[in-house]
Amino acid sequence: MKKKKKTSLFKVIFFMFFFSFLVIYFSEVTGYYEYQNHQKKNLTEEQIKKFEADVASGKEVDLTKYLVVEDNDYNNKLSKLTYKISQGISKIVESGVVNTFKFFSRLIDE
């Protein structure tokens, strides 16, 4: 019988980091991040021009009309699950720390 080779955890983690690095590197090389910032800058400049035109024409100005706020909702099942897991871990660590200090305080009080 042939034995299957087990891939080590180190190799899997290494390749995940390497792949992540490549994705980030190529997004930087292609200028994706700069393009996104350029688009935001252009949008802001357009809003400033509209604001100045409205002020010059004497219109009533409300700053909330000119602010562009992206309200993205990033909640999904995975983020909710990881949040619950982190809350559970936090409770466990907190109770461990509290119980440890209670134990040491009892030792000191005796």
Side-chain angles (χ1 to χ4, degrees):
M1 281 201 260
K2 292 183 180 179
K3 292 185 180 180
K4 290 185 179 179
K5 276 189 172 180
K6 292 184 179 180
T7 53
S8 70
L9 182 62
F10 175 75
K11 285 182 182 179
V12 172
I13 292 173
F14 175 77
F15 284 117
M16 286 175 46
F17 281 131
F18 184 70
F19 180 74
S20 299
F21 168 77
L22 287 178
V23 168
I24 293 170
Y25 177 75
F26 284 117
S27 69
E28 175 67 27
V29 168
T30 58
Y32 177 76
Y33 183 70
E34 284 81 14
Y35 177 74
Q36 293 297 325
N37 285 339
H38 177 71
Q39 291 296 95
K40 288 179 185 177
K41 178 180 157 261
N42 283 344
L43 184 62
T44 303
E45 287 177 354
E46 289 173 9
Q47 296 302 91
I48 290 171
K49 289 176 184 175
K50 287 180 187 176
F51 174 78
E52 289 174 348
D54 288 347
V55 169
S57 66
K59 291 182 181 178
E60 188 175 323
V61 178
D62 183 17
L63 290 179
T64 57
K65 281 185 2 183
Y66 304 98
L67 296 177
V68 178
V69 179
E70 294 179 16
D71 191 20
N72 297 331
D73 183 21
Y74 294 108
N75 287 334
N76 58 31
K77 291 180 182 179
L78 179 63
S79 65
K80 290 177 185 176
L81 175 69
T82 54
Y83 179 72
K84 287 180 183 179
I85 290 171
S86 69
Q87 291 290 27
I89 292 171
S90 174
K91 288 179 184 178
I92 291 170
V93 170
E94 180 183 0
S95 67
V97 169
V98 168
N99 290 334
T100 302
F101 279 111
K102 283 182 182 179
F103 173 74
F104 285 126
S105 70
R106 277 188 261 138
L107 287 177
I108 292 172
D109 288 341
E110 291 179 0

